[in-house]
Amino acid sequence: MKTVAKGAAQAAVTGNTAQPGTGSATPTGTGSDSGRVTRTGTGTESVTRTGTGRVAEAAAGKSTAPAASCRAARPRADALRNRERIVSAARELFVEFGPDVALDDVARRAGVGNATLYRNFPDRAALTHEVVLAVTSRTTLRAEEAVAAESDPFAALSRFVHAAADERIGALCPMISGVFDKDHPDLLAERDRLEEAVAGLVSRAQSAGRLRTDIAVGDVLVALSQLTRPLPGIACQGIDRFTHRHLQLFLDGLETPARSELPGSAATLEDLRRS
């Protein structure tokens, strides 16, 4: 029996999982080179390991270091929620006060500390970038959903206009003059997706004879941005209750037959980029 115990102890140090005979060594912990021998009462003995798991990894023939690194790199659920709250709060405040709103106010609206905000977004440009990206991406999704949900092209356009208002698309307008990289590849890609989606809505409604032909995509986007935010620098707390009412008046004016002749020319996407 002493021979079996000695063999089990050697197995614990070398990483072998079993020795000839009736003894068995089971590395179970996380790895220092210490262990204890446990007698089971049936003539067998086992070694229980403690520590950091290096011996157990050797016994398995592989390392768990990459998996551990992946776990460490994955953001925690509460950290992701904090980031989402910050972006949502910034989106609301950008609509109400413009992109120069105090970042302390953003943290307060999000219900997080200033340190949490700056840990996620080290400066205003980083936060503005994320807000623009989020609003653009979510608005594009609303356009795609409208097409899928409505067989009538004008009904699809109307559905999108109201949904875009709920996404606070007005947050995009003040950022044209914001201090951030407007030509960042991520932003350009999302902008192109949104413009393509809205252009499709407008084109289908016009082809079906449901939308007046003297307007363009830019007219829809400009009207959306203007009708979904208060005047710059003031807090109109009750504006949301009028937004969808005024948007419906705007949509009624887009339907054919046109009841008036529009002054000027249609606003194209190129016009918006030059402005």
Side-chain angles (χ1 to χ4, degrees):
M1 189 60 68
K2 291 181 180 180
T3 303
V4 173
K6 182 178 179 181
Q10 290 174 343
V13 174
T14 62
N16 293 331
T17 58
Q19 292 290 324
T22 59
S24 63
T26 308
T28 61
T30 56
S32 66
D33 290 335
S34 63
R36 67 175 184 274
V37 178
T38 304
R39 189 180 302 279
T40 65
T42 58
T44 62
E45 297 172 347
S46 63
V47 176
T48 302
R49 296 295 311 223
T50 60
T52 59
R54 288 189 294 269
V55 176
E57 294 165 11
K62 61 183 180 180
S63 170
T64 61
S69 298
C70 290
R71 284 195 298 272
R74 187 180 298 118
R76 300 192 317 272
D78 59 338
L80 289 174
R81 284 193 296 271
N82 284 340
R83 185 178 179 87
E84 290 170 359
R85 281 198 292 264
I86 292 168
V87 172
S88 179
R91 179 181 61 172
E92 298 296 327
L93 288 172
F94 284 1
V95 170
E96 295 172 18
F97 299 103
D100 295 328
V101 63
L103 296 187
D104 289 354
D105 291 340
V106 175
R108 190 175 302 109
R109 174 76 66 94
V112 302
N114 287 355
T116 299
L117 186 149
Y118 286 108
R119 185 162 57 247
N120 283 276
F121 304 103
D123 53 34
R124 183 180 302 277
L127 178 58
T128 303
H129 172 96
E130 192 65 23
V131 171
V132 172
L133 194 64
V135 173
T136 306
S137 177
R138 290 167 62 93
T139 304
T140 301
L141 181 59
R142 300 290 88 79
E144 294 168 349
E145 290 172 348
V147 172
E150 303 287 352
S151 57
D152 178 356
F154 192 85
L157 177 63
S158 299
R159 185 188 185 103
F160 162 72
V161 166
H162 286 289
D166 290 336
E167 291 299 340
R168 309 296 273 172
I169 193 173
L172 298 180
C173 189
M175 295 172 202
I176 294 174
S177 58
V179 182
F180 73 109
D181 184 5
K182 295 183 286 293
D183 295 322
H184 189 284
D186 289 348
L187 295 178
L188 292 178
E190 285 300 333
R191 185 197 70 187
D192 290 345
R193 286 184 61 232
L194 175 59
E195 291 178 353
E196 181 180 353
V198 180
L201 286 166
V202 170
S203 176
R204 282 187 289 273
Q206 287 177 331
S207 297
R210 300 277 282 112
L211 177 68
R212 58 192 299 167
T213 57
D214 56 349
I215 66 106
V217 179
D219 292 305
V220 175
L221 294 177
V222 168
L224 260 173
S225 67
Q226 291 178 339
L227 291 172
T228 56
R229 65 188 183 99
L231 294 174
I234 64 172
C236 295
Q237 299 299 328
I239 190 173
D240 285 347
R241 65 193 177 100
F242 299 116
T243 296
H244 290 286
R245 177 182 177 86
H246 295 162
L247 284 174
Q248 191 57 52
L249 288 171
F250 163 66
L251 287 166
D252 289 347
L254 294 183
E255 279 196 273
T256 56
R259 294 169 175 80
S260 62
E261 182 177 347
L262 295 177
S265 58
T268 65
L269 294 174
E270 289 72 21
D271 292 332
L272 296 185
R273 290 173 189 152
R274 287 195 298 266
S275 62

